[in-house]
Amino acid sequence: MRSRHLGILLAAVIATSILQLTLGSKLTVVSARPDLVLLLVVTTSVVGGVEEGVLVGILGGMSLDMVSVTPFGTATIAMGLIGLATGLGESNIYRANLLIPLVAVFLATVFYHSFLLLALQAAGWSVEWISTLARQTIPGAAFNALLAPLPLAIVRRLAAWDKLEEHLGW
C-alpha cells in the first residue's frame, strides 16, 4: 500500500470519526443514529479488500474507543473483525449487485451493536438486550443500510482515482 493511499485512509478515518462524534446525535431518525465509522469500514473493505478493511477497521475502532464508555479495545476489535469479514467477499460480487453491500452494512451494524452490548455486560453493566436491539440496533442497521450507497460511491470513486494514478505513475 502506497504512503499516499495510507494517508488518504487515515484522513478519511479521522474526518469520519469527527463527523460521527459531532453530528451523529443530530442525525438521529426515530431512535436510529448513523454509524459513520462503520459505514467507512464496510465500504472500504468491500472496495479495497481485507487489508484495507482491517486497517480502517482498527484505526476507526481506536478513534471510537478513545471517546467511548465501553471497555477500551471493544470498538477496535469489533471494527477490525467487521473489516475482515466484509473484505473477504470477491469485489466482483459486490460490484455486480448493490444489494450485497447494503446487506453487509445491515449485518455489520447488528454485529457491532451486539458486540458492544456483550462487552458492556461482561464489564458488569446492566444491559437490556431486547429493548436495545429493537429500539436502536435494528433501526440503526436499517438507517446505515439506507445511507450506504453514498459512502460506497465515494470510496469507489477514490479507489478508481488511486488506481488511475498508480497506472499513470503519478
Side-chain angles (χ1 to χ4, degrees):
M1 187 178 313
R2 297 179 323 157
S3 62
R4 181 166 186 256
H5 186 69
L6 184 60
I8 291 170
L9 289 176
L10 182 58
V13 168
I14 291 169
T16 305
S17 298
I18 290 170
L19 278 174
Q20 180 167 327
L21 295 170
T22 57
L23 297 177
S25 62
K26 292 176 178 59
L27 298 175
T28 302
V29 174
V30 185
S31 60
R33 288 187 183 158
D35 292 307
L36 302 177
V37 173
L38 182 135
L39 284 168
L40 178 65
V41 171
V42 173
T43 55
T44 300
S45 65
V46 162
V47 173
V50 172
E51 183 179 327
E52 286 186 21
V54 170
L55 176 65
V56 171
I58 290 171
L59 292 174
M62 285 174 52
S63 71
L64 294 177
D65 273 332
M66 287 190 246
V67 295
S68 176
V69 298
T70 59
F72 191 81
T74 303
T76 303
I77 293 168
M79 290 289 187
L81 289 172
I82 289 168
L84 174 69
T86 55
L88 289 174
E90 288 292 321
S91 61
N92 292 335
I93 294 172
Y94 290 126
R95 263 187 238 126
N97 188 346
L98 178 64
L99 186 61
I100 293 174
L102 301 184
V103 170
V105 166
F106 185 91
L107 295 175
T109 304
V110 172
F111 170 79
Y112 179 67
H113 285 224
S114 299
F115 195 88
L116 293 180
L117 290 173
L118 187 61
L120 288 172
Q121 189 170 19
W125 290 50
S126 176
V127 175
E128 294 292 329
W129 279 89
I130 302 301
S131 63
T132 303
L133 290 173
R135 292 185 182 162
Q136 293 176 349
T137 301
I138 300 303
F143 191 30
N144 284 342
L146 287 174
L147 292 174
L150 178 62
L152 185 61
I154 293 169
V155 170
R156 282 181 175 164
R157 175 69 51 113
L158 289 173
W161 276 51
D162 196 46
K163 285 182 183 177
L164 177 64
E165 286 181 354
E166 189 176 308
H167 178 72
L168 294 175
W170 291 353

